Amino acid sequence: MVNYKDLGLVNTREMFKRAIAGGYAIPAFNFNTMEQMQAIVQAAVETKSPVIMQVSKGARNYANAQILRYMAEGAVAYAKELGCEHPEIVLHLDHGDSFELCKDCIDMGFSSVMYDGSALPYEENIKISRQVVEYAHKYDVTVECELGVLAGVEDEVASEVSHYTKPEEVIDFATRTGCDSLAISIGTSHGAYKFKPEQCTRDPKTGKLVPPPLAFDVLHEIEKKLPGFPIVLHGSSSVPQEEVDTINRYGGNLPDAIGIPEDQLREASKSAVCKINIDSDSRLAMTAAVRKHLAEHPDHFDPRQYLKPARDNMKKMYIHKIVNVLGSNNRLAQC
Ligand SMILES: [Zn+2]
């Protein structure tokens, strides 16, 4: 049993309280590789932002659970070495799909876990969520649960259609599970293809797809039911078209990849939404930089030659999100 506090990590409780009061959101960036971890820490330190580093079940399968845990511990040490004396880094399990997986993460030093029972019948979701919360709270680990179903594909999580969260259920759900934050479905979606072209309109000037707006009416109704309660948005990459264009220019094939416009995320950040999950944008930033570098330097074969620009490009994207979209810069309790 490893307690996250011994690793220098923090849970989300205080962070979310401040985010709601301050009208901003904490970035939750997924990581699988050392370069992603370095870019996330560099961006968080330079902007003095709290940050959630999250690990999906797919990431655990790819990188190995122990390695990711030590990387998060290393992230704290790295942030300090970069000059941040009191970094606020959360190690969070993204989309835990069983009590056992959540328990395993808590036991190995995660400071926060998500239990995602959103695909289960309502009562079953409550039952297992409650079980995870009871275990987690013994160790002061915070728990995110989910109501409503997001469309799209993300690692093991996939759904054809979305179901918005029903505002009339949230009080009952939050009370009976005891969860610390609630992931809701208001039209965000997993992956780099968040919407089908037929759900969108096309900008006549650029020919690019314009996605349907998020359901802010549902969000505001939920906020009214649960005043001051931390809300989480999954699937909130913006799929920057310049990265998609770079990928396509250098041999990629991502037609009509589309995300959530950043102005909508900025608006959501000002509400009770205090955690915004961004994964695909990092994948796109990495792939765009690697493709461009290899196309321009066909003689390069040292991975450091193409992973360095990939890391720099991800860092630029993380800083942009923190400063221009979520507003979490300069929000550390102590510098
Ligand atoms: Zn998600």
Side-chain angles (χ1 to χ4, degrees), residues 54 94-95 114 116 146 150 154 157 190 233-235 277:
Q54 54 186 21
D94 193 20
H95 291 289
M114 175 195 196
D116 177 4
E146 178 164 340
L150 271 71
E154 181 197 39
V157 186
H190 289 125
L233 288 188
H234 280 242
N277 291 7

PDB file of all heavy atoms in Angstrom, residues 54 94-95 114 116 146 150 154 157 190 233-235 277, ligand 1:
ATOM      1  N   GLN A  54      -3.653  12.209 -15.940  1.00  0.00           N
ATOM      2  CA  GLN A  54      -4.516  11.041 -15.844  1.00  0.00           C
ATOM      3  C   GLN A  54      -4.087   9.884 -16.716  1.00  0.00           C
ATOM      4  O   GLN A  54      -3.501  10.039 -17.770  1.00  0.00           O
ATOM      5  CB  GLN A  54      -5.991  11.397 -16.007  1.00  0.00           C
ATOM      6  CG  GLN A  54      -6.370  12.153 -17.240  1.00  0.00           C
ATOM      7  CD  GLN A  54      -7.838  12.563 -17.193  1.00  0.00           C
ATOM      8  OE1 GLN A  54      -8.450  12.627 -16.127  1.00  0.00           O
ATOM      9  NE2 GLN A  54      -8.423  12.832 -18.347  1.00  0.00           N
ATOM     10  N   ASP A  94      -8.428   7.509 -15.132  1.00  0.00           N
ATOM     11  CA  ASP A  94      -9.481   7.932 -16.054  1.00  0.00           C
ATOM     12  C   ASP A  94     -10.308   6.700 -16.433  1.00  0.00           C
ATOM     13  O   ASP A  94      -9.750   5.673 -16.837  1.00  0.00           O
ATOM     14  CB  ASP A  94      -8.779   8.524 -17.295  1.00  0.00           C
ATOM     15  CG  ASP A  94      -9.712   9.281 -18.200  1.00  0.00           C
ATOM     16  OD1 ASP A  94     -10.793   9.699 -17.745  1.00  0.00           O
ATOM     17  OD2 ASP A  94      -9.343   9.483 -19.383  1.00  0.00           O
ATOM     18  N   HIS A  95     -11.608   6.786 -16.323  1.00  0.00           N
ATOM     19  CA  HIS A  95     -12.513   5.691 -16.723  1.00  0.00           C
ATOM     20  C   HIS A  95     -12.202   4.340 -16.078  1.00  0.00           C
ATOM     21  O   HIS A  95     -12.070   3.324 -16.773  1.00  0.00           O
ATOM     22  CB  HIS A  95     -12.536   5.525 -18.248  1.00  0.00           C
ATOM     23  CG  HIS A  95     -13.195   6.667 -18.954  1.00  0.00           C
ATOM     24  ND1 HIS A  95     -14.547   6.880 -18.908  1.00  0.00           N
ATOM     25  CD2 HIS A  95     -12.680   7.679 -19.675  1.00  0.00           C
ATOM     26  CE1 HIS A  95     -14.833   7.977 -19.598  1.00  0.00           C
ATOM     27  NE2 HIS A  95     -13.720   8.489 -20.063  1.00  0.00           N
ATOM     28  N   MET A 114     -11.502   7.855 -11.151  1.00  0.00           N
ATOM     29  CA  MET A 114     -12.846   7.931 -11.701  1.00  0.00           C
ATOM     30  C   MET A 114     -13.407   6.523 -11.739  1.00  0.00           C
ATOM     31  O   MET A 114     -12.736   5.599 -12.215  1.00  0.00           O
ATOM     32  CB  MET A 114     -12.822   8.471 -13.128  1.00  0.00           C
ATOM     33  CG  MET A 114     -14.195   8.436 -13.766  1.00  0.00           C
ATOM     34  SD  MET A 114     -14.164   8.656 -15.538  1.00  0.00           S
ATOM     35  CE  MET A 114     -15.900   9.028 -15.831  1.00  0.00           C
ATOM     36  N   ASP A 116     -16.372   4.850 -13.683  1.00  0.00           N
ATOM     37  CA  ASP A 116     -17.329   5.149 -14.748  1.00  0.00           C
ATOM     38  C   ASP A 116     -18.333   4.017 -14.885  1.00  0.00           C
ATOM     39  O   ASP A 116     -18.076   3.012 -15.532  1.00  0.00           O
ATOM     40  CB  ASP A 116     -16.578   5.360 -16.069  1.00  0.00           C
ATOM     41  CG  ASP A 116     -17.534   5.602 -17.235  1.00  0.00           C
ATOM     42  OD1 ASP A 116     -18.764   5.679 -16.999  1.00  0.00           O
ATOM     43  OD2 ASP A 116     -17.059   5.703 -18.377  1.00  0.00           O
ATOM     44  N   GLU A 146     -19.749   9.212 -13.030  1.00  0.00           N
ATOM     45  CA  GLU A 146     -20.342   9.732 -14.275  1.00  0.00           C
ATOM     46  C   GLU A 146     -21.803   9.356 -14.413  1.00  0.00           C
ATOM     47  O   GLU A 146     -22.207   8.234 -14.138  1.00  0.00           O
ATOM     48  CB  GLU A 146     -19.553   9.221 -15.493  1.00  0.00           C
ATOM     49  CG  GLU A 146     -20.160   9.682 -16.826  1.00  0.00           C
ATOM     50  CD  GLU A 146     -19.229   9.543 -18.029  1.00  0.00           C
ATOM     51  OE1 GLU A 146     -17.998   9.457 -17.837  1.00  0.00           O
ATOM     52  OE2 GLU A 146     -19.739   9.512 -19.164  1.00  0.00           O
ATOM     53  N   LEU A 150     -21.341   9.691 -23.032  1.00  0.00           N
ATOM     54  CA  LEU A 150     -20.699  10.446 -24.101  1.00  0.00           C
ATOM     55  C   LEU A 150     -20.560   9.558 -25.329  1.00  0.00           C
ATOM     56  O   LEU A 150     -20.250   8.371 -25.204  1.00  0.00           O
ATOM     57  CB  LEU A 150     -19.288  10.881 -23.690  1.00  0.00           C
ATOM     58  CG  LEU A 150     -19.130  12.203 -22.965  1.00  0.00           C
ATOM     59  CD1 LEU A 150     -19.676  12.097 -21.561  1.00  0.00           C
ATOM     60  CD2 LEU A 150     -17.671  12.626 -22.933  1.00  0.00           C
ATOM     61  N   GLU A 154     -12.653   6.233 -26.899  1.00  0.00           N
ATOM     62  CA  GLU A 154     -11.447   6.599 -26.166  1.00  0.00           C
ATOM     63  C   GLU A 154     -10.943   5.349 -25.473  1.00  0.00           C
ATOM     64  O   GLU A 154     -11.555   4.867 -24.540  1.00  0.00           O
ATOM     65  CB  GLU A 154     -11.755   7.681 -25.122  1.00  0.00           C
ATOM     66  CG  GLU A 154     -10.531   8.125 -24.348  1.00  0.00           C
ATOM     67  CD  GLU A 154     -10.876   8.859 -23.063  1.00  0.00           C
ATOM     68  OE1 GLU A 154     -11.835   8.473 -22.378  1.00  0.00           O
ATOM     69  OE2 GLU A 154     -10.162   9.824 -22.757  1.00  0.00           O
ATOM     70  N   VAL A 157     -13.249   2.891 -23.934  1.00  0.00           N
ATOM     71  CA  VAL A 157     -14.584   3.459 -23.786  1.00  0.00           C
ATOM     72  C   VAL A 157     -15.133   3.825 -25.161  1.00  0.00           C
ATOM     73  O   VAL A 157     -14.525   4.603 -25.883  1.00  0.00           O
ATOM     74  CB  VAL A 157     -14.530   4.730 -22.917  1.00  0.00           C
ATOM     75  CG1 VAL A 157     -15.918   5.240 -22.632  1.00  0.00           C
ATOM     76  CG2 VAL A 157     -13.786   4.449 -21.631  1.00  0.00           C
ATOM     77  N   HIS A 190     -15.712  11.697 -27.050  1.00  0.00           N
ATOM     78  CA  HIS A 190     -14.326  11.204 -27.040  1.00  0.00           C
ATOM     79  C   HIS A 190     -13.738  11.117 -28.448  1.00  0.00           C
ATOM     80  O   HIS A 190     -14.455  10.872 -29.406  1.00  0.00           O
ATOM     81  CB  HIS A 190     -14.275   9.818 -26.392  1.00  0.00           C
ATOM     82  CG  HIS A 190     -14.518   9.844 -24.908  1.00  0.00           C
ATOM     83  ND1 HIS A 190     -15.486   9.097 -24.292  1.00  0.00           N
ATOM     84  CD2 HIS A 190     -13.916  10.545 -23.927  1.00  0.00           C
ATOM     85  CE1 HIS A 190     -15.461   9.328 -22.988  1.00  0.00           C
ATOM     86  NE2 HIS A 190     -14.517  10.204 -22.736  1.00  0.00           N
ATOM     87  N   LEU A 233     -15.936  17.749 -17.454  1.00  0.00           N
ATOM     88  CA  LEU A 233     -16.230  17.508 -18.871  1.00  0.00           C
ATOM     89  C   LEU A 233     -15.180  16.591 -19.467  1.00  0.00           C
ATOM     90  O   LEU A 233     -13.987  16.898 -19.448  1.00  0.00           O
ATOM     91  CB  LEU A 233     -16.236  18.826 -19.659  1.00  0.00           C
ATOM     92  CG  LEU A 233     -17.389  19.796 -19.446  1.00  0.00           C
ATOM     93  CD1 LEU A 233     -17.290  20.936 -20.468  1.00  0.00           C
ATOM     94  CD2 LEU A 233     -18.751  19.111 -19.541  1.00  0.00           C
ATOM     95  N   HIS A 234     -15.632  15.477 -19.982  1.00  0.00           N
ATOM     96  CA  HIS A 234     -14.754  14.564 -20.719  1.00  0.00           C
ATOM     97  C   HIS A 234     -14.757  14.956 -22.189  1.00  0.00           C
ATOM     98  O   HIS A 234     -15.566  15.763 -22.622  1.00  0.00           O
ATOM     99  CB  HIS A 234     -15.255  13.122 -20.575  1.00  0.00           C
ATOM    100  CG  HIS A 234     -14.852  12.497 -19.286  1.00  0.00           C
ATOM    101  ND1 HIS A 234     -14.053  11.390 -19.214  1.00  0.00           N
ATOM    102  CD2 HIS A 234     -15.124  12.852 -18.008  1.00  0.00           C
ATOM    103  CE1 HIS A 234     -13.850  11.077 -17.950  1.00  0.00           C
ATOM    104  NE2 HIS A 234     -14.489  11.947 -17.193  1.00  0.00           N
ATOM    105  N   GLY A 235     -13.856  14.317 -22.941  1.00  0.00           N
ATOM    106  CA  GLY A 235     -13.917  14.463 -24.403  1.00  0.00           C
ATOM    107  C   GLY A 235     -13.889  15.904 -24.866  1.00  0.00           C
ATOM    108  O   GLY A 235     -14.659  16.293 -25.742  1.00  0.00           O
ATOM    109  N   ASN A 277     -11.127  17.458 -19.538  1.00  0.00           N
ATOM    110  CA  ASN A 277     -10.236  16.393 -20.003  1.00  0.00           C
ATOM    111  C   ASN A 277      -9.800  16.630 -21.442  1.00  0.00           C
ATOM    112  O   ASN A 277     -10.648  16.801 -22.333  1.00  0.00           O
ATOM    113  CB  ASN A 277     -10.962  15.040 -19.954  1.00  0.00           C
ATOM    114  CG  ASN A 277     -11.221  14.569 -18.540  1.00  0.00           C
ATOM    115  OD1 ASN A 277     -10.977  15.293 -17.568  1.00  0.00           O
ATOM    116  ND2 ASN A 277     -11.720  13.354 -18.421  1.00  0.00           N
TER     117      ASN A 277
HETATM  118 ZN    ZN B   1     -13.419  10.327 -20.903  1.00  0.00          ZN
END
